[in-house]
């Protein structure tokens, strides 16, 4: 297991051009962004893959694929909410504007979820739209059911 000791963004002509990384086992170099997780932070336990690289000029080096070691992530403990009595079933009627707001919010949250799934390589780019449409349909049905 390796810890990420340093991650620094590189620039070329004032534009982002990748990252340099260093690890607690004294390895350092350029990160291969395509083979690495996003949102890495110093101190994260990571799994490092060494990727041989040859530049157009013929220079050889090693790029590093850096993935978060999910086996070492500890769930953050949160205090349990105080005991509550279950809500009594009653007819909750939303106004047209609040119903529209609930559906708009559900649509946004569904898209955020789909993008998170794409980033985590759980779905492909082409699956985002149909899966978003399916999830939004389920959410709309649930909102309508709560409102009936």
């Amino acid at each position: 297991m390796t810890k990420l000791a340093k991650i620094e963004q590189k620039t070329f002509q004032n534009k982002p051009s990748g990252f340099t990384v260093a690890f607690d086992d004294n390895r350092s170099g350029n990160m291969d962004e395509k083979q690495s997780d996003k949102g890495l932070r110093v101190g994260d336990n990571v799994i490092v893959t060494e990727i041989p690289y040859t530049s157009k000029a013929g220079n050889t080096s090693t790029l590093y694929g850096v993935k978060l070691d999910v086996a070492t992530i500890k769930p953050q403990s949160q205090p349990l909410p105080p005991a509550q009595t279950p809500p009594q079933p009653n007819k909750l009627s939303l106004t047209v504007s609040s119903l529209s707001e609930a559906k708009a919010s559900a649509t946004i949250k569904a898209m955020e979820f789909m993008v998170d799934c794409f980033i985590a390589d759980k779905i492909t780019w082409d699956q985002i739209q149909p899966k978003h449409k399916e999830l939004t349909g389920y959410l709309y049905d649930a909102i309508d059911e709560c409102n009936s």
Side-chain angles (χ1 to χ4, degrees):
M1 176 173 25
T2 303
K3 281 192 186 264
L4 188 59
K6 178 181 104 175
I7 184 164
E8 201 170 87
Q9 187 165 29
K10 300 186 310 181
T11 58
F12 178 72
Q13 296 178 345
N14 293 326
K15 294 182 183 175
S17 66
F19 294 90
T20 58
V21 290
F23 308 100
D24 65 352
D25 61 4
N26 296 325
R27 291 184 288 175
S28 64
N30 293 318
M31 182 172 78
D32 184 344
E33 291 184 74
K34 293 179 182 175
Q35 301 290 326
S36 301
D37 287 337
K38 301 208 183 326
L40 296 167
R41 297 177 300 199
V42 171
D44 284 343
N45 289 322
V46 292
I47 299 169
V48 180
T49 306
E50 293 187 359
I51 304 161
Y53 175 75
T54 304
S55 70
K56 292 176 185 176
N59 300 326
T60 60
S61 64
T62 300
L63 299 179
Y64 294 100
V66 185
K67 297 278 188 177
L68 193 58
D69 187 359
V70 293
T72 62
I73 297 175
K74 296 177 186 170
Q76 295 179 354
S77 60
Q78 296 181 356
L80 295 174
Q84 297 176 354
T85 58
Q88 299 299 321
N90 60 357
K91 189 167 184 162
L92 176 63
S93 181
L94 298 173
T95 64
V96 173
S97 65
S98 62
L99 183 62
S100 297
E101 288 175 17
K103 287 184 176 181
S105 178
T107 302
I108 292 167
K109 289 294 184 185
M111 183 53 79
E112 289 173 352
F113 180 75
M114 289 298 122
V115 170
D116 288 344
C117 288
F118 172 73
I119 291 170
D121 287 331
K122 301 294 182 191
I123 62 173
T124 64
W125 181 261
D126 295 337
Q127 292 176 310
I128 292 176
Q129 183 181 10
K131 292 207 178 279
H132 176 258
K133 186 174 183 177
E134 180 182 1
L135 179 58
T136 303
Y138 292 139
L139 294 172
Y140 284 8
D141 290 346
I143 292 169
D144 290 338
E145 187 175 314
C146 289
N147 195 40
S148 64

